[in-house]
Amino acid sequence: MASSPKTNPDWWRGAVIYQVYPRSFQDTNGDGIGDLPGITARLPHIASLGVDAIWLSPFFTSPMADMGYDVSDYCDVDPMFGTLADFDTMLAEAHRLGLKIIIDQVISHTSDQHPWFKESRASNTNARADWYVWADAKPDGTAPNNWLSIFGGPAWEWDGVRRQYYLHNFLGSQPDLNFHNSQVQEAVLDTVRFWLERGVDGFRLDTVNYYFHDKELRDNPPLGHDDDGPGLDAPDVNPYGMQSHLYDKTQPENIGFLKRFRALLEEYDDRTAVGEVGDGGRSLKTLAAYVSGGDKLHMCYTFDLLGPDFTASHIRHCVSSFQNSVTDGWVCWAFSNHDVQRHVSRFIQNESERERIGKLAISVLATLRGSICLYQGEELALPEAELELHELRDPYGIRFWPAFKGRDGCRTPMPWERAGQSGGFSTGQPWLPVPDVHKAVAVDVQEAGDDSVLAHYRDTLAFRKAMPALFDGGMTFLDTNQDILIFTREKAGEKLLFVFNLRRGPQTVTLPKGMTIAEMLPLPGFDTARIEKDEIVLEALDAFCGRVSG
């Protein structure tokens, strides 16, 4: 089995993580679907960015009803992606290149094709009868309560064999495991140990606050005026956001399981876990509970920066809210992932500024306090792909079309070669189309330009790595006379000032009283900002970095 080279147990703190969506990264056998050998072949590209780790979306055996987030065997590779030997080869090569490997763990639910569920549904007396969440119908035959599925409709599916309903927070073919059963916890942890023994460096825990449900199956109340708001858990066309999800997720028992998960990781050197928290307006409170104390998750990320708001006030609010809520935990920030519209499409006002916004966004992200996660293709400033209904594969998008187009627009294949078939992704018909606008900014195109977004990502991540204050230094926001993002990062006597103008016009910001800039530092990609007496003058969508004296 592959083993990770010994490093620092806190390697994850301040790390840059690159998310690979295996279906869409690189196909090597011509079936139009990316695979593990393809990831291995493209590891040099990932390493060239200067990232520390790779997060792999699911590659486990699955019917693929939800593109692999419906697992039928946690301890094997689905044939469409390759074999366990292919995984071991990829892991060894990643480690040779100095890259850690974090794998997705989808343990809140399984596929209905998982052997555990097949046995559980067979009767209410078998050994795994209580491994999933089963409940009797109400006297009138309706579902046990009013809980809703994120993917639309009730969160309950009737099973004619057991003559009961089972819970599913997502598709009807994704039944929820019953974590109140200690045997379920043991079985899940055994699958985690399988991958630890193979040498993986960490886990991204999908829907980490969905593991437990309210034992009494109480109805969720409607979203009230006193709630923190619906957040970004579901699009506003989905009635899921009309409930306050007090009982179907984020139960207090989850804390105990996360401690068990962390204790397992502690048996191995230098392993980490990052949790995905989707809890509406309460996400930061939930995150604080899950990362505090040093005995649960190492870090979490929320959906707070995955919306359309790219403004100084919003970013400051999200980051300062985390800092105020979490005193001894760690966060992972991201602007994009496989579930949301690509961030350049969310942030731009017109196509002409896409490259500029792509550069500015990574410069902001790379200077925040926390670890950061990048999503494949954002280093090219890929826009969201525009797809037709007949091209969709995402059941979520198909269900809510046309009001919500789903997640396929951010999942289209990675464009490697402008002139290559399917952008160099596959010699066959790709599972999703490769838009011409993506081919125009393919990797080989951007490799040829020193001023490309790809080059900017490399330069910016090198800048981040060269500044100890950006690894885990303190962060303090400063008050200004403008709508501008301004903060300091400080460590071991070095204080850096960062100023970002996210507006479409020039701005001048007055330095805080008593602050002196000892020298301007070359922030990659931004060289127009200047100091005039006690003011910093910035052009539209501009940035400044300086070393503070004293």
Side-chain angles (χ1 to χ4, degrees):
M1 302 297 177
S3 61
S4 177
K6 279 287 190 74
T7 58
N8 156 13
D10 287 338
W11 65 266
W12 48 270
R13 193 181 296 273
V16 180
I17 303 167
Y18 183 91
Q19 182 191 357
V20 169
Y21 194 70
R23 270 181 169 261
S24 296
F25 203 58
Q26 179 67 67
D27 172 28
T28 60
N29 62 7
D31 66 356
I33 296 172
D35 45 46
L36 293 178
I39 296 171
T40 304
R42 295 297 186 180
L43 285 174
H45 168 77
I46 301 174
S48 77
L49 297 174
V51 305
D52 302 291
I54 299 171
W55 152 27
L56 293 178
S57 290
F59 52 84
F60 314 109
T61 308
S62 167
M64 300 294 164
D66 188 24
M67 306 302 138
Y69 282 86
D70 50 321
V71 179
S72 57
D73 187 342
Y74 286 108
C75 298
D76 204 356
V77 173
D78 193 276
M80 74 166 52
F81 296 127
T83 65
L84 278 171
D86 291 329
F87 177 86
D88 293 339
T89 298
M90 182 210 62
L91 183 65
E93 179 63 8
H95 285 166
R96 189 188 71 79
L97 292 171
L99 296 167
K100 303 285 191 181
I101 293 292
I102 296 170
I103 65 173
D104 231 321
Q105 288 292 285
V106 190
I107 56 177
S108 69
H109 54 266
T110 70
S111 165
D112 62 0
Q113 298 305 303
H114 196 292
W116 297 346
F117 186 73
K118 289 182 177 181
E119 183 175 351
S120 184
R121 80 189 313 176
S123 71
N124 59 9
T125 58
N126 68 78
R128 291 194 172 95
D130 193 37
W131 278 41
Y132 293 80
V133 184
W134 295 96
D136 292 330
K138 289 181 178 179
D140 62 359
T142 57
N145 61 25
N146 70 345
W147 296 353
L148 297 174
S149 161
I150 287 183
F151 285 177
W156 296 96
E157 185 79 8
W158 177 256
D159 182 73
V161 176
R162 280 191 52 152
R163 298 183 183 181
Q164 285 183 303
Y165 282 96
Y166 65 83
L167 177 67
H168 62 92
N169 277 294
F170 299 92
L171 292 177
S173 58
Q174 293 172 293
D176 273 50
L177 284 163
N178 178 19
F179 274 76
H180 290 290
N181 185 326
S182 61
Q183 291 180 315
V184 169
Q185 295 187 35
E186 291 291 345
V188 165
L189 292 174
D190 282 346
T191 69
V192 173
R193 187 181 294 276
F194 173 87
W195 294 104
L196 287 168
E197 290 292 326
R198 289 198 102 77
V200 301
D201 304 288
F203 302 91
R204 179 262 188 186
L205 299 180
D206 185 65
T207 58
V208 72
N209 57 312
Y210 283 72
Y211 296 163
F212 286 83
H213 64 285
D214 174 48
K215 277 188 171 183
E216 297 179 33
L217 302 183
R218 286 171 283 187
D219 280 353
N220 283 328
L223 193 70
H225 297 297
D226 295 332
D227 287 315
D228 294 320
L232 294 167
D233 294 4
D236 59 9
V237 302
N238 188 344
Y240 184 87
M242 298 168 69
Q243 289 187 354
S244 181
H245 293 273
L246 297 183
Y247 300 116
D248 52 350
K249 59 183 179 181
T250 321
Q251 299 304 292
E253 296 93 335
N254 212 31
I255 296 293
F257 175 74
L258 294 181
K259 288 181 178 180
R260 293 191 68 188
F261 194 99
R262 176 63 174 265
L264 173 58
L265 295 189
E266 294 297 323
E267 296 178 22
Y268 298 80
D269 293 327
D270 307 341
R271 309 305 167 95
T272 194
V274 53
E276 175 198 34
V277 174
D279 201 18
R282 293 182 290 267
S283 285
L284 282 175
K285 296 177 183 176
T286 303
L287 186 153
Y290 288 4
V291 299
S292 64
D295 60 351
K296 295 176 283 294
L297 299 178
H298 295 84
M299 52 185 170
C300 284
Y301 75 89
T302 72
F303 301 162
D304 294 81
L305 296 183
L306 299 180
D309 200 342
F310 186 57
T311 62
S313 58
H314 177 68
I315 294 171
R316 175 170 178 157
H317 170 73
C318 291
V319 177
S320 60
S321 294
F322 168 78
Q323 293 183 156
N324 293 335
S325 302
V326 184
T327 57
D328 63 343
W330 200 249
V331 70
C332 186
W333 300 112
F335 283 138
S336 279
N337 67 23
H338 65 293
D339 281 335
V340 297
Q341 184 185 38
R342 287 189 174 273
H343 69 258
V344 290
S345 292
R346 300 199 313 268
F347 295 164
I348 64 174
Q349 294 182 357
N350 56 71
E351 176 60 24
S352 66
E353 64 183 28
R354 176 165 56 84
E355 187 172 305
R356 183 72 171 182
I357 289 290
K359 293 179 177 180
L360 185 60
I362 183 57
S363 295
V364 170
L365 194 67
T367 52
L368 298 180
R369 186 172 193 266
S371 302
I372 64 174
C373 192
L374 314 178
Y375 178 52
Q376 67 179 50
E378 73 170 74
E379 72 270 28
L380 309 176
L382 291 186
E384 184 81 353
E386 293 294 330
L387 303 178
E388 300 296 328
L389 176 59
H390 73 273
E391 295 173 315
L392 294 191
R393 298 294 179 266
D394 179 16
Y396 197 7
I398 294 169
R399 170 66 175 79
F400 284 99
W401 181 278
F404 171 62
K405 297 183 179 180
R407 302 165 294 179
D408 286 334
C410 69
R411 296 176 173 183
T412 53
M414 184 81 171
W416 298 100
E417 304 164 7
R418 181 172 188 169
Q421 183 177 343
S422 302
F425 165 71
S426 175
T427 57
Q429 180 68 29
W431 76 286
L432 286 175
V434 183
D436 288 341
V437 67
H438 285 192
K439 294 177 185 176
V441 293
V443 172
D444 67 345
V445 174
Q446 299 208 28
E447 289 283 11
D450 294 336
D451 194 38
S452 67
V453 177
L454 176 57
H456 180 79
Y457 264 69
R458 289 171 174 155
D459 292 344
T460 299
L461 296 184
F463 176 86
R464 174 183 169 95
K465 192 163 286 189
M467 299 290 177
L470 295 180
F471 174 64
D472 60 355
M475 180 176 184
T476 304
F477 286 101
L478 306 178
D479 294 327
T480 73
N481 60 328
Q482 299 289 345
D483 176 24
I484 212 155
L485 189 64
I486 178 170
F487 54 86
T488 59
R489 298 296 310 274
E490 186 172 6
K491 182 178 181 179
E494 180 177 65
K495 181 184 287 188
L496 305 177
L497 176 71
F498 292 93
V499 187
F500 295 96
N501 177 19
L502 307 186
R503 298 177 67 178
R504 269 70 179 179
Q507 291 200 84
T508 299
V509 59
T510 302
L511 284 169
K513 189 174 181 179
M515 177 176 283
T516 302
I517 302 299
E519 64 173 318
M520 290 181 59
L521 296 177
L523 190 63
F526 299 96
D527 57 7
T528 57
R530 62 189 187 276
I531 301 176
E532 294 183 357
K533 296 183 180 179
D534 62 346
E535 294 182 328
I536 299 174
V537 181
L538 299 104
E539 301 300 320
L541 301 174
D542 202 3
F544 168 89
C545 177
R547 182 173 281 113
V548 178
S549 63

mmCIF file of all heavy atoms in Angstrom, residues 376-411:
data_model
loop_
_atom_site.group_PDB
_atom_site.id
_atom_site.type_symbol
_atom_site.label_atom_id
_atom_site.label_comp_id
_atom_site.label_asym_id
_atom_site.label_seq_id
_atom_site.Cartn_x
_atom_site.Cartn_y
_atom_site.Cartn_z
ATOM 1 N N GLN A 376 -11.374 22.426 -10.244
ATOM 2 C CA GLN A 376 -10.745 22.242 -11.547
ATOM 3 C C GLN A 376 -11.355 23.160 -12.603
ATOM 4 O O GLN A 376 -12.575 23.278 -12.724
ATOM 5 C CB GLN A 376 -10.858 20.788 -11.997
ATOM 6 C CG GLN A 376 -12.268 20.322 -12.300
ATOM 7 C CD GLN A 376 -12.325 18.874 -12.770
ATOM 8 O OE1 GLN A 376 -11.767 17.988 -12.147
ATOM 9 N NE2 GLN A 376 -13.013 18.632 -13.874
ATOM 10 N N GLY A 377 -10.485 23.811 -13.355
ATOM 11 C CA GLY A 377 -10.920 24.709 -14.415
ATOM 12 C C GLY A 377 -11.002 26.155 -14.001
ATOM 13 O O GLY A 377 -10.995 27.037 -14.864
ATOM 14 N N GLU A 378 -11.056 26.429 -12.709
ATOM 15 C CA GLU A 378 -11.116 27.841 -12.327
ATOM 16 C C GLU A 378 -9.789 28.525 -12.611
ATOM 17 O O GLU A 378 -9.747 29.745 -12.800
ATOM 18 C CB GLU A 378 -11.530 28.029 -10.869
ATOM 19 C CG GLU A 378 -10.507 27.683 -9.816
ATOM 20 C CD GLU A 378 -10.945 28.151 -8.424
ATOM 21 O OE1 GLU A 378 -11.846 27.532 -7.828
ATOM 22 O OE2 GLU A 378 -10.369 29.131 -7.938
ATOM 23 N N GLU A 379 -8.689 27.742 -12.669
ATOM 24 C CA GLU A 379 -7.400 28.336 -13.012
ATOM 25 C C GLU A 379 -7.348 28.782 -14.468
ATOM 26 O O GLU A 379 -6.381 29.423 -14.899
ATOM 27 C CB GLU A 379 -6.260 27.360 -12.704
ATOM 28 C CG GLU A 379 -6.142 26.171 -13.642
ATOM 29 C CD GLU A 379 -6.952 24.956 -13.205
ATOM 30 O OE1 GLU A 379 -7.983 25.137 -12.530
ATOM 31 O OE2 GLU A 379 -6.559 23.816 -13.538
ATOM 32 N N LEU A 380 -8.382 28.441 -15.239
ATOM 33 C CA LEU A 380 -8.523 28.911 -16.624
ATOM 34 C C LEU A 380 -9.593 29.982 -16.735
ATOM 35 O O LEU A 380 -9.865 30.480 -17.828
ATOM 36 C CB LEU A 380 -8.876 27.737 -17.538
ATOM 37 C CG LEU A 380 -8.002 26.487 -17.442
ATOM 38 C CD1 LEU A 380 -8.554 25.378 -18.336
ATOM 39 C CD2 LEU A 380 -6.556 26.798 -17.797
ATOM 40 N N ALA A 381 -10.224 30.342 -15.616
ATOM 41 C CA ALA A 381 -11.378 31.254 -15.600
ATOM 42 C C ALA A 381 -12.493 30.727 -16.487
ATOM 43 O O ALA A 381 -13.136 31.482 -17.226
ATOM 44 C CB ALA A 381 -10.990 32.686 -16.000
ATOM 45 N N LEU A 382 -12.745 29.403 -16.394
ATOM 46 C CA LEU A 382 -13.824 28.831 -17.197
ATOM 47 C C LEU A 382 -15.161 29.428 -16.771
ATOM 48 O O LEU A 382 -15.476 29.464 -15.578
ATOM 49 C CB LEU A 382 -13.879 27.313 -17.017
ATOM 50 C CG LEU A 382 -12.746 26.468 -17.582
ATOM 51 C CD1 LEU A 382 -13.077 24.994 -17.415
ATOM 52 C CD2 LEU A 382 -12.490 26.799 -19.048
ATOM 53 N N PRO A 383 -15.977 29.857 -17.740
ATOM 54 C CA PRO A 383 -17.333 30.294 -17.400
ATOM 55 C C PRO A 383 -18.261 29.088 -17.263
ATOM 56 O O PRO A 383 -17.916 27.975 -17.677
ATOM 57 C CB PRO A 383 -17.728 31.150 -18.608
ATOM 58 C CG PRO A 383 -16.993 30.509 -19.758
ATOM 59 C CD PRO A 383 -15.685 30.026 -19.184
ATOM 60 N N GLU A 384 -19.400 29.294 -16.685
ATOM 61 C CA GLU A 384 -20.421 28.250 -16.617
ATOM 62 C C GLU A 384 -20.836 27.860 -18.038
ATOM 63 O O GLU A 384 -21.077 28.714 -18.902
ATOM 64 C CB GLU A 384 -21.643 28.771 -15.855
ATOM 65 C CG GLU A 384 -22.733 27.761 -15.625
ATOM 66 C CD GLU A 384 -22.470 26.824 -14.450
ATOM 67 O OE1 GLU A 384 -21.351 26.877 -13.892
ATOM 68 O OE2 GLU A 384 -23.383 26.057 -14.091
ATOM 69 N N ALA A 385 -20.901 26.555 -18.301
ATOM 70 C CA ALA A 385 -21.328 26.080 -19.616
ATOM 71 C C ALA A 385 -22.840 26.203 -19.740
ATOM 72 O O ALA A 385 -23.576 25.880 -18.811
ATOM 73 C CB ALA A 385 -20.903 24.631 -19.815
ATOM 74 N N GLU A 386 -23.302 26.659 -20.883
ATOM 75 C CA GLU A 386 -24.729 26.761 -21.162
ATOM 76 C C GLU A 386 -25.185 25.482 -21.860
ATOM 77 O O GLU A 386 -24.742 25.188 -22.975
ATOM 78 C CB GLU A 386 -25.017 27.984 -22.033
ATOM 79 C CG GLU A 386 -24.758 29.313 -21.342
ATOM 80 C CD GLU A 386 -25.698 29.564 -20.180
ATOM 81 O OE1 GLU A 386 -26.850 29.078 -20.222
ATOM 82 O OE2 GLU A 386 -25.280 30.237 -19.220
ATOM 83 N N LEU A 387 -26.043 24.719 -21.199
ATOM 84 C CA LEU A 387 -26.483 23.435 -21.727
ATOM 85 C C LEU A 387 -27.982 23.431 -21.985
ATOM 86 O O LEU A 387 -28.739 24.151 -21.327
ATOM 87 C CB LEU A 387 -26.135 22.311 -20.750
ATOM 88 C CG LEU A 387 -24.651 22.173 -20.361
ATOM 89 C CD1 LEU A 387 -24.480 21.060 -19.347
ATOM 90 C CD2 LEU A 387 -23.788 21.912 -21.585
ATOM 91 N N GLU A 388 -28.394 22.604 -22.918
ATOM 92 C CA GLU A 388 -29.806 22.412 -23.202
ATOM 93 C C GLU A 388 -30.340 21.267 -22.328
ATOM 94 O O GLU A 388 -29.578 20.449 -21.805
ATOM 95 C CB GLU A 388 -30.009 22.076 -24.680
ATOM 96 C CG GLU A 388 -29.524 23.153 -25.640
ATOM 97 C CD GLU A 388 -30.298 24.457 -25.489
ATOM 98 O OE1 GLU A 388 -31.498 24.388 -25.151
ATOM 99 O OE2 GLU A 388 -29.691 25.527 -25.697
ATOM 100 N N LEU A 389 -31.653 21.192 -22.194
ATOM 101 C CA LEU A 389 -32.266 20.174 -21.352
ATOM 102 C C LEU A 389 -31.844 18.775 -21.769
ATOM 103 O O LEU A 389 -31.526 17.924 -20.917
ATOM 104 C CB LEU A 389 -33.790 20.301 -21.380
ATOM 105 C CG LEU A 389 -34.585 19.234 -20.616
ATOM 106 C CD1 LEU A 389 -34.207 19.230 -19.135
ATOM 107 C CD2 LEU A 389 -36.086 19.469 -20.778
ATOM 108 N N HIS A 390 -31.799 18.520 -23.066
ATOM 109 C CA HIS A 390 -31.469 17.164 -23.525
ATOM 110 C C HIS A 390 -30.017 16.788 -23.237
ATOM 111 O O HIS A 390 -29.645 15.616 -23.303
ATOM 112 C CB HIS A 390 -31.763 17.017 -25.024
ATOM 113 C CG HIS A 390 -30.784 17.737 -25.921
ATOM 114 N ND1 HIS A 390 -30.929 19.060 -26.277
ATOM 115 C CD2 HIS A 390 -29.631 17.320 -26.511
ATOM 116 C CE1 HIS A 390 -29.932 19.432 -27.058
ATOM 117 N NE2 HIS A 390 -29.126 18.395 -27.212
ATOM 118 N N GLU A 391 -29.181 17.782 -22.910
ATOM 119 C CA GLU A 391 -27.777 17.507 -22.618
ATOM 120 C C GLU A 391 -27.525 17.239 -21.132
ATOM 121 O O GLU A 391 -26.456 16.772 -20.753
ATOM 122 C CB GLU A 391 -26.906 18.688 -23.065
ATOM 123 C CG GLU A 391 -26.912 18.916 -24.568
ATOM 124 C CD GLU A 391 -26.177 20.177 -24.972
ATOM 125 O OE1 GLU A 391 -26.382 21.229 -24.318
ATOM 126 O OE2 GLU A 391 -25.393 20.129 -25.940
ATOM 127 N N LEU A 392 -28.498 17.538 -20.285
ATOM 128 C CA LEU A 392 -28.301 17.404 -18.844
ATOM 129 C C LEU A 392 -28.224 15.949 -18.412
ATOM 130 O O LEU A 392 -28.899 15.082 -18.958
ATOM 131 C CB LEU A 392 -29.438 18.078 -18.082
ATOM 132 C CG LEU A 392 -29.590 19.602 -18.181
ATOM 133 C CD1 LEU A 392 -30.591 20.088 -17.151
ATOM 134 C CD2 LEU A 392 -28.265 20.328 -18.018
ATOM 135 N N ARG A 393 -27.393 15.715 -17.398
ATOM 136 C CA ARG A 393 -27.297 14.402 -16.755
ATOM 137 C C ARG A 393 -27.627 14.501 -15.258
ATOM 138 O O ARG A 393 -27.830 13.480 -14.609
ATOM 139 C CB ARG A 393 -25.881 13.846 -16.923
ATOM 140 C CG ARG A 393 -25.469 13.629 -18.372
ATOM 141 C CD ARG A 393 -26.307 12.540 -19.033
ATOM 142 N NE ARG A 393 -25.928 12.332 -20.430
ATOM 143 C CZ ARG A 393 -26.524 12.921 -21.455
ATOM 144 N NH1 ARG A 393 -27.531 13.768 -21.242
ATOM 145 N NH2 ARG A 393 -26.117 12.702 -22.692
ATOM 146 N N ASP A 394 -27.670 15.694 -14.738
ATOM 147 C CA ASP A 394 -27.892 15.931 -13.317
ATOM 148 C C ASP A 394 -29.374 15.795 -12.974
ATOM 149 O O ASP A 394 -30.196 16.580 -13.458
ATOM 150 C CB ASP A 394 -27.398 17.339 -12.952
ATOM 151 C CG ASP A 394 -27.619 17.687 -11.493
ATOM 152 O OD1 ASP A 394 -27.868 16.778 -10.682
ATOM 153 O OD2 ASP A 394 -27.529 18.892 -11.159
ATOM 154 N N PRO A 395 -29.764 14.836 -12.134
ATOM 155 C CA PRO A 395 -31.184 14.672 -11.807
ATOM 156 C C PRO A 395 -31.780 15.887 -11.107
ATOM 157 O O PRO A 395 -32.976 16.154 -11.249
ATOM 158 C CB PRO A 395 -31.198 13.442 -10.889
ATOM 159 C CG PRO A 395 -29.816 13.350 -10.332
ATOM 160 C CD PRO A 395 -28.918 13.856 -11.418
ATOM 161 N N TYR A 396 -30.960 16.610 -10.400
ATOM 162 C CA TYR A 396 -31.414 17.822 -9.706
ATOM 163 C C TYR A 396 -31.840 18.883 -10.717
ATOM 164 O O TYR A 396 -32.911 19.494 -10.607
ATOM 165 C CB TYR A 396 -30.264 18.325 -8.835
ATOM 166 C CG TYR A 396 -30.608 19.320 -7.748
ATOM 167 C CD1 TYR A 396 -31.917 19.672 -7.431
ATOM 168 C CD2 TYR A 396 -29.581 19.903 -7.005
ATOM 169 C CE1 TYR A 396 -32.192 20.575 -6.418
ATOM 170 C CE2 TYR A 396 -29.845 20.803 -5.991
ATOM 171 C CZ TYR A 396 -31.146 21.143 -5.703
ATOM 172 O OH TYR A 396 -31.417 22.042 -4.701
ATOM 173 N N GLY A 397 -31.002 19.101 -11.735
ATOM 174 C CA GLY A 397 -31.324 20.087 -12.760
ATOM 175 C C GLY A 397 -32.517 19.673 -13.606
ATOM 176 O O GLY A 397 -33.363 20.495 -13.963
ATOM 177 N N ILE A 398 -32.589 18.383 -13.935
ATOM 178 C CA ILE A 398 -33.718 17.892 -14.730
ATOM 179 C C ILE A 398 -35.022 18.071 -13.967
ATOM 180 O O ILE A 398 -36.045 18.454 -14.538
ATOM 181 C CB ILE A 398 -33.487 16.408 -15.101
ATOM 182 C CG1 ILE A 398 -32.276 16.291 -16.049
ATOM 183 C CG2 ILE A 398 -34.724 15.797 -15.734
ATOM 184 C CD1 ILE A 398 -31.791 14.868 -16.280
ATOM 185 N N ARG A 399 -34.986 17.844 -12.658
ATOM 186 C CA ARG A 399 -36.185 17.964 -11.817
ATOM 187 C C ARG A 399 -36.723 19.389 -11.782
ATOM 188 O O ARG A 399 -37.943 19.608 -11.812
ATOM 189 C CB ARG A 399 -35.854 17.477 -10.394
ATOM 190 C CG ARG A 399 -36.916 17.766 -9.334
ATOM 191 C CD ARG A 399 -38.204 16.988 -9.598
ATOM 192 N NE ARG A 399 -39.171 17.185 -8.531
ATOM 193 C CZ ARG A 399 -39.951 18.266 -8.398
ATOM 194 N NH1 ARG A 399 -39.855 19.247 -9.280
ATOM 195 N NH2 ARG A 399 -40.812 18.351 -7.410
ATOM 196 N N PHE A 400 -35.837 20.384 -11.713
ATOM 197 C CA PHE A 400 -36.279 21.765 -11.533
ATOM 198 C C PHE A 400 -36.129 22.624 -12.786
ATOM 199 O O PHE A 400 -36.300 23.840 -12.719
ATOM 200 C CB PHE A 400 -35.515 22.411 -10.357
ATOM 201 C CG PHE A 400 -36.007 21.950 -9.009
ATOM 202 C CD1 PHE A 400 -35.323 20.965 -8.319
ATOM 203 C CD2 PHE A 400 -37.148 22.488 -8.446
ATOM 204 C CE1 PHE A 400 -35.772 20.518 -7.075
ATOM 205 C CE2 PHE A 400 -37.602 22.070 -7.211
ATOM 206 C CZ PHE A 400 -36.917 21.082 -6.520
ATOM 207 N N TRP A 401 -35.782 22.023 -13.917
ATOM 208 C CA TRP A 401 -35.685 22.768 -15.183
ATOM 209 C C TRP A 401 -37.039 23.378 -15.519
ATOM 210 O O TRP A 401 -38.059 22.764 -15.264
ATOM 211 C CB TRP A 401 -35.246 21.812 -16.282
ATOM 212 C CG TRP A 401 -35.088 22.455 -17.629
ATOM 213 C CD1 TRP A 401 -36.078 22.718 -18.524
ATOM 214 C CD2 TRP A 401 -33.876 22.934 -18.209
ATOM 215 N NE1 TRP A 401 -35.577 23.313 -19.637
ATOM 216 C CE2 TRP A 401 -34.214 23.469 -19.478
ATOM 217 C CE3 TRP A 401 -32.551 22.974 -17.807
ATOM 218 C CZ2 TRP A 401 -33.264 24.030 -20.331
ATOM 219 C CZ3 TRP A 401 -31.598 23.523 -18.660
ATOM 220 C CH2 TRP A 401 -31.963 24.038 -19.908
ATOM 221 N N PRO A 402 -37.075 24.606 -16.091
ATOM 222 C CA PRO A 402 -35.949 25.471 -16.461
ATOM 223 C C PRO A 402 -35.609 26.511 -15.391
ATOM 224 O O PRO A 402 -34.697 27.308 -15.580
ATOM 225 C CB PRO A 402 -36.459 26.161 -17.726
ATOM 226 C CG PRO A 402 -37.925 26.343 -17.435
ATOM 227 C CD PRO A 402 -38.350 25.124 -16.640
ATOM 228 N N ALA A 403 -36.364 26.524 -14.278
ATOM 229 C CA ALA A 403 -36.105 27.537 -13.259
ATOM 230 C C ALA A 403 -34.707 27.387 -12.659
ATOM 231 O O ALA A 403 -34.070 28.373 -12.280
ATOM 232 C CB ALA A 403 -37.165 27.452 -12.156
ATOM 233 N N PHE A 404 -34.246 26.141 -12.570
ATOM 234 C CA PHE A 404 -32.910 25.844 -12.050
ATOM 235 C C PHE A 404 -32.297 24.842 -13.002
ATOM 236 O O PHE A 404 -32.882 23.797 -13.275
ATOM 237 C CB PHE A 404 -33.024 25.278 -10.624
ATOM 238 C CG PHE A 404 -31.742 24.725 -10.064
ATOM 239 C CD1 PHE A 404 -30.640 25.536 -9.875
ATOM 240 C CD2 PHE A 404 -31.650 23.382 -9.704
ATOM 241 C CE1 PHE A 404 -29.453 25.020 -9.350
ATOM 242 C CE2 PHE A 404 -30.478 22.858 -9.168
ATOM 243 C CZ PHE A 404 -29.374 23.680 -8.991
ATOM 244 N N LYS A 405 -31.129 25.161 -13.527
ATOM 245 C CA LYS A 405 -30.524 24.340 -14.576
ATOM 246 C C LYS A 405 -29.587 23.268 -14.042
ATOM 247 O O LYS A 405 -28.966 22.546 -14.812
ATOM 248 C CB LYS A 405 -29.790 25.239 -15.574
ATOM 249 C CG LYS A 405 -30.741 26.191 -16.307
ATOM 250 C CD LYS A 405 -30.024 27.037 -17.337
ATOM 251 C CE LYS A 405 -30.991 27.945 -18.071
ATOM 252 N NZ LYS A 405 -30.311 28.783 -19.090
ATOM 253 N N GLY A 406 -29.500 23.159 -12.725
ATOM 254 C CA GLY A 406 -28.713 22.089 -12.148
ATOM 255 C C GLY A 406 -27.227 22.383 -12.109
ATOM 256 O O GLY A 406 -26.781 23.516 -12.261
ATOM 257 N N ARG A 407 -26.455 21.303 -11.963
ATOM 258 C CA ARG A 407 -25.029 21.435 -11.681
ATOM 259 C C ARG A 407 -24.130 21.022 -12.840
ATOM 260 O O ARG A 407 -22.905 21.110 -12.735
ATOM 261 C CB ARG A 407 -24.702 20.584 -10.441
ATOM 262 C CG ARG A 407 -25.526 20.981 -9.219
ATOM 263 C CD ARG A 407 -25.482 19.927 -8.126
ATOM 264 N NE ARG A 407 -26.131 18.678 -8.551
ATOM 265 C CZ ARG A 407 -26.215 17.582 -7.791
ATOM 266 N NH1 ARG A 407 -25.716 17.593 -6.569
ATOM 267 N NH2 ARG A 407 -26.814 16.502 -8.255
ATOM 268 N N ASP A 408 -24.722 20.612 -13.952
ATOM 269 C CA ASP A 408 -23.900 20.145 -15.064
ATOM 270 C C ASP A 408 -23.080 21.260 -15.713
ATOM 271 O O ASP A 408 -22.029 20.992 -16.299
ATOM 272 C CB ASP A 408 -24.763 19.472 -16.126
ATOM 273 C CG ASP A 408 -25.242 18.091 -15.702
ATOM 274 O OD1 ASP A 408 -24.555 17.463 -14.872
ATOM 275 O OD2 ASP A 408 -26.296 17.645 -16.180
ATOM 276 N N GLY A 409 -23.550 22.486 -15.600
ATOM 277 C CA GLY A 409 -22.835 23.604 -16.229
ATOM 278 C C GLY A 409 -21.449 23.836 -15.669
ATOM 279 O O GLY A 409 -20.592 24.428 -16.335
ATOM 280 N N CYS A 410 -21.213 23.376 -14.434
ATOM 281 C CA CYS A 410 -19.874 23.509 -13.855
ATOM 282 C C CYS A 410 -19.102 22.198 -13.901
ATOM 283 O O CYS A 410 -17.960 22.130 -13.442
ATOM 284 C CB CYS A 410 -19.954 24.015 -12.414
ATOM 285 S SG CYS A 410 -20.658 22.839 -11.231
ATOM 286 N N ARG A 411 -19.720 21.147 -14.454
ATOM 287 C CA ARG A 411 -19.113 19.821 -14.429
ATOM 288 C C ARG A 411 -18.626 19.360 -15.803
ATOM 289 O O ARG A 411 -18.233 18.210 -15.967
ATOM 290 C CB ARG A 411 -20.120 18.800 -13.885
ATOM 291 C CG ARG A 411 -20.524 19.056 -12.443
ATOM 292 C CD ARG A 411 -21.588 18.073 -11.985
ATOM 293 N NE ARG A 411 -21.884 18.196 -10.556
ATOM 294 C CZ ARG A 411 -22.728 17.415 -9.895
ATOM 295 N NH1 ARG A 411 -23.373 16.456 -10.548
ATOM 296 N NH2 ARG A 411 -22.934 17.586 -8.602
#
